[in-house]
Amino acid sequence: MSKEKFQEKIDAEKKIEPKDWMPEAYRKHLIRQISQHAHSEIIGMQPEGNWISRAPSLRAKMILLAKVQDEAGHGLYLYSACETLGISRQELIQQLHEGKAKYSSIFNYPTLSWADMGAVGWLVDGAAIVNQVSLQRTSYGPYSRGMVKICKEESFHQRQGYEIMSEMANGTPEQKEMAQDALNRFWWPSIMMFGPHDGDSPRTGNAMKWKIKRQTNDELRQSFIDKTVHQAEIIGLTIPDPDLKWNEERGHYDFGEMDWDEFWDVVNGNGPCNKQRLDHHKKAHDDGKWVRKAAKAYSDKQKNLVKN
Ligand code: 3HC
């Protein structure tokens, strides 16, 4: 198939499947995006995992456990979708460990109080939902189908986070203060999850041409902000942006400028928790070596039984 024929297929909203011909650049672009998405899901388990043993009630503990387990499953779907593009899980993990692959900047911030569990669920998963609902229409079949399943679970993640924030914002003055502090620390890193402005995004051009992305970084960011401002007002919390203001003419909220020096600092490995997150992942991967070895020995044995 020619690149022109391939583009016609994309323009006709046809899904591209693993066995279909695809330009090498399309395949490589997808491997980058899907693998970094998968890494984000798995690394994202750490900030919340820290609080499972410190949850304030058995109910809260069960909810957080379920959420963190969901994230592991999301990582699994996404790694599996990525492997259909002809790259192995080992290579993907090695790229992460060698710093050749990224994961979402948001997970390099510390979670300092229980209210942070609320802010992460409400804002981080809320932002992820906006991004991932759009990705359900991505042109690559396995990625698109994985998103459908993930989005169903993300809604629970966002609601449980918002419930924590609502309870604390309406609790004692100290609890309200903790909730506001968590919002202050997570608001700007959450809106930076959507990536650089469209004009500064080297990948958006091809991503939109090949319908890997269906909306741009700025479109998704604006959609998230428009959805979230009222949610903060309802529970009596203040979004830490003095420039946030409804613009009747645009039909959207105007908002302040993000700190792009901070963003690229964190993306390039110099955030508050980058080293901790990667060291933890490397140790967990090493500790799990025996499990992978045993699983491989078992599957090899099964294959030999079938063969003989
Ligand atoms: N953190 C880390 N890296 C980021 C980033 C961020 N917030 N935003 C952008 N980048 C990276 C991009 O990956 C790209 O890196 P690369 O060229 O080495 O691949 C580079 O910065 C340039 O950015 P672009 O905007 O040009 O890149 P993209 O077009 O890929 O857009 C994106 C970035 C919007 C994150 C897009 O990759 C995307 O939609 N990815 C899928 C969704 C995803 O990964 N979400 C991460 C969070 S997952 C999550 O929150 C799980 C939930 O359950 C908690």
Side-chain angles (χ1 to χ4, degrees):
M1 182 187 284
S2 68
K3 283 187 184 165
E4 294 67 33
K5 280 272 173 243
F6 173 81
Q7 192 60 49
E8 279 170 26
K9 205 169 165 187
I10 294 282
D11 296 343
E13 295 291 338
K14 292 254 185 328
K15 288 284 184 249
I16 306 300
E17 297 299 336
K19 290 199 167 52
D20 293 346
W21 184 86
M22 61 185 84
E24 186 55 12
Y26 175 83
R27 192 179 71 81
K28 281 204 173 117
H29 188 122
L30 277 170
I31 288 177
R32 285 296 298 172
Q33 176 160 333
I34 301 174
S35 68
Q36 293 179 158
H37 196 161
H39 296 328
S40 302
E41 299 282 2
I42 299 302
I43 298 281
M45 293 165 72
Q46 291 186 37
E48 290 173 311
N50 281 339
W51 280 88
I52 290 173
S53 59
R54 294 183 276 171
S57 71
L58 192 55
R59 177 179 180 273
K61 188 188 192 106
M62 287 193 302
I63 290 172
L64 189 57
L65 257 176
K67 181 192 189 295
V68 172
Q69 280 171 330
D70 278 352
E71 308 298 8
H74 297 176
L76 184 64
Y77 307 139
L78 289 162
Y79 281 131
S80 303
C82 205
E83 286 163 33
T84 65
L85 289 156
I87 186 166
S88 72
R89 183 74 59 90
Q90 289 75 2
E91 283 170 282
L92 293 170
I93 301 300
Q94 196 176 341
Q95 287 174 355
L96 173 68
H97 287 177
E98 291 173 355
K100 291 186 184 130
K102 301 180 171 75
Y103 56 87
S104 191
S105 48
I106 188 71
F107 298 121
N108 288 311
Y109 291 84
T111 45
L112 305 173
S113 80
W114 177 253
D116 288 15
M117 293 303 100
V120 168
W122 174 35
L123 300 174
V124 176
D125 289 79
I129 289 175
V130 169
N131 173 291
Q132 291 169 160
V133 163
S134 178
L135 280 171
Q136 288 179 124
R137 294 184 298 120
T138 190
S139 58
Y140 188 56
Y143 195 21
S144 158
R145 292 186 289 273
M147 281 300 109
V148 172
K149 167 101 170 112
I150 286 177
C151 286
K152 288 195 173 77
E153 292 171 344
E154 289 295 2
S155 309
F156 145 63
H157 298 174
Q158 194 268 0
R159 296 311 298 168
Q160 62 84 36
Y162 189 58
E163 183 187 81
I164 292 173
M165 291 301 263
S166 170
E167 278 172 358
M168 293 189 78
N170 292 289
T172 64
E174 294 78 13
Q175 287 173 330
K176 175 155 188 166
E177 198 185 317
M178 278 171 82
Q180 184 61 58
D181 169 58
L183 174 54
N184 293 345
R185 283 183 289 107
F186 275 92
W187 174 255
W188 291 102
S190 298
I191 64 174
M192 288 195 262
M193 280 174 69
F194 294 97
H197 284 306
D198 298 345
D200 303 322
S201 160
R203 292 201 176 268
T204 290
N206 278 339
M208 295 299 284
K209 183 178 85 173
W210 290 327
K211 297 189 180 178
I212 292 173
K213 275 181 176 178
R214 302 312 301 263
Q215 288 164 278
T216 68
N217 298 359
D218 285 326
E219 286 168 352
L220 291 171
R221 189 179 357 255
Q222 183 69 68
S223 168
F224 170 68
I225 290 171
D226 290 348
K227 283 184 182 20
T228 309
V229 172
H230 188 48
Q231 291 172 2
E233 285 164 355
I234 291 171
I235 56 175
L237 294 180
T238 309
I239 287 179
D241 177 0
D243 297 323
L244 190 69
K245 190 167 172 299
W246 179 252
N247 182 320
E248 195 53 45
E249 206 181 307
R250 283 197 326 123
H252 295 291
Y253 279 95
D254 292 337
F255 54 95
E257 191 49 71
M258 287 143 279
D259 180 344
W260 295 110
D261 291 340
E262 176 187 327
F263 172 78
W264 288 114
D265 239 5
V266 175
V267 170
N268 294 325
N270 308 309
C273 298
N274 293 60
K275 184 173 176 335
Q276 175 190 336
R277 299 289 186 236
L278 264 191
D279 288 351
H280 182 94
H281 190 281
K282 287 173 185 167
K283 181 176 179 320
H285 193 66
D286 285 347
D287 291 351
K289 200 177 272 172
W290 69 272
V291 176
R292 293 191 295 276
K293 210 165 155 229
K296 187 167 180 328
Y298 177 76
S299 80
D300 291 348
K301 185 161 174 279
Q302 293 306 95
K303 280 180 203 152
N304 289 336
L305 284 177
V306 166
K307 240 191 266 169
N308 302 335

